[in-house]
Amino acid sequence: MAAGGFPPAYFRKHLAPAVLFCLLLTAFPAGPGLAQSAVEPTPQPSQTDTSGTTPAPGSSVRSPARDDLLSTVGVTCVFGPKTSEADARRQCFLKARSRLTVKMAEQVRGAASSLGLDLSDEELFAFTLGTMRVEADREEIEPEKDGFVIRLTGRAVADLAGLRQKLPFYAQNQDVRAAAVAQWRAALSEAELAARSAGDPAEAQAAKTRRAMVDTARFAERQLRLGMSQTDVRGLLGEPGAWTQGASGENFTCLGYGDVWAVFQNGELACLRTRLEYSRRHESQCHCSGRLATIVLGVEPQ
């Protein structure tokens, strides 16, 4: 039996690749903390310059700046009142981390290409996730009427020299790549689950608009009657979101209300339909002809 009670064959097939990937990440010096900026290396006052002269009092010779890869993203997460602040912060961080991984992977792709290495997108994402360091650079929590909003700026840092050391080994070992991809997929699934809880304002607004469109269509089906004037319909549904005219001489006018179109002929409501369809007969899409499945009120004129 192998270590931990696993059969040798199971260990070689399932655990060894993951162990190799972990060794890959620890085989080289780790990157610096985010507080140690590559732009401001730690001063080394005891060093001398290449000419052998001693630095003047009050001055210092700085060590060469390391070539780090940097990336930032901003995310906005919306939560309801039932989500705790700690859980919400974690979910928003996972959302930022997944976006940072994809964004940073483009820079890693450049490093791999410079070494003549060809990796798939998923392999690049997996390698990037395992080698970059991510922190919340800025976080704001604002209460809302039905919950709260978190605005987070995430920052990722990766040591370019370290990446160039690790990439060849990673590219040459299929088992290591497979283990890394498995970890990436697990992280991505976790981030996608978090994203469903951490709503996006644009998506929430789109869903709200969609619900309003459906509600308007249902209201129109219940309240509108054939023969109503445009003034009557506007009084019930308000101003339309869109409108169009029929072909010249047919006197059709179509007013769009979300998922439904009110079609008038000669100033009176002739039909209510779910979509407009172009007809050669009418030389227009504004009419009451076509498939009966699209007409919810009114009958196609003879």
Side-chain angles (χ1 to χ4, degrees):
M1 298 290 285
F6 293 104
Y10 180 91
F11 181 85
R12 287 195 300 270
K13 181 177 180 182
H14 298 282
L15 300 184
V19 172
L20 281 173
F21 182 59
C22 292
L23 290 175
L24 167 68
L25 301 184
T26 58
F28 301 96
L34 293 179
Q36 294 177 341
S37 169
V39 180
E40 287 291 334
T42 304
Q44 303 293 332
S46 61
Q47 293 183 349
T48 59
D49 62 22
T50 56
S51 63
T53 60
T54 303
S59 67
S60 63
V61 177
R62 299 181 182 272
S63 60
R66 190 177 57 202
D67 194 6
D68 283 344
L69 299 181
L70 303 173
S71 186
T72 60
V73 296
V75 296
T76 301
C77 309
V78 182
F79 297 93
K82 295 183 179 180
T83 305
S84 68
E85 181 177 311
D87 194 30
R89 294 178 64 191
R90 175 181 172 275
Q91 293 178 25
C92 203
F93 178 82
L94 291 175
K95 183 177 179 181
R97 187 184 68 175
S98 63
R99 294 188 181 182
L100 277 168
T101 301
V102 174
K103 188 175 181 181
M104 179 73 84
E106 290 304 311
Q107 300 184 59
V108 177
R109 187 191 305 276
S113 298
S114 68
L115 297 172
L117 304 176
D118 185 19
L119 298 171
S120 69
D121 288 346
E122 199 171 37
E123 289 170 342
L124 280 169
F125 296 153
F127 180 83
T128 304
L129 178 66
T131 53
M132 71 178 186
R133 299 182 61 180
V134 181
E135 288 189 2
D137 194 40
R138 182 178 181 181
E139 186 180 57
E140 298 178 354
I141 303 176
E142 297 180 3
E144 295 285 337
K145 181 179 180 181
D146 298 318
F148 56 97
V149 174
I150 296 180
R151 294 180 175 85
L152 174 68
T153 301
R155 178 170 57 166
V157 179
D159 175 16
L160 182 57
L163 294 181
R164 287 173 174 161
Q165 285 182 302
K166 298 172 185 178
L167 273 168
F169 177 82
Y170 178 77
Q172 293 166 9
N173 289 269
Q174 182 177 358
D175 289 343
V176 172
R177 296 199 308 275
V181 168
Q183 293 183 19
W184 160 248
R185 289 174 178 172
L188 187 61
S189 297
E190 186 181 24
E192 289 175 347
L193 181 62
R196 285 196 287 270
S197 300
D200 185 278
E203 294 175 359
Q205 182 59 41
K208 183 178 179 181
T209 301
R210 180 65 183 168
R211 289 194 298 269
M213 292 169 64
V214 172
D215 292 343
T216 299
R218 291 175 178 172
F219 180 80
E221 292 179 36
R222 294 194 304 267
Q223 300 296 324
L224 299 188
R225 298 292 182 269
L226 299 180
M228 282 185 169
S229 67
Q230 286 194 37
T231 301
D232 294 334
V233 172
R234 289 173 187 264
L236 286 171
L237 303 183
E239 292 300 313
W243 69 276
T244 185
Q245 293 280 4
S248 176
E250 289 201 331
N251 296 321
F252 277 110
T253 301
C254 295
L255 305 184
Y257 291 95
D259 281 359
V260 70
W261 287 84
V263 183
F264 299 85
Q265 186 175 28
N266 298 321
E268 296 183 350
L269 184 64
C271 70
L272 195 65
R273 62 189 309 161
T274 57
R275 57 181 296 182
L276 301 182
E277 296 180 337
Y278 181 83
S279 169
R280 291 184 179 180
R281 169 184 165 189
H282 295 280
E283 297 183 346
S284 168
Q285 63 177 355
C286 182
H287 52 78
C288 285
S289 299
R291 291 182 296 172
L292 293 177
T294 68
I295 299 177
V296 295
L297 180 65
V299 180
E300 179 181 355
Q302 302 297 319

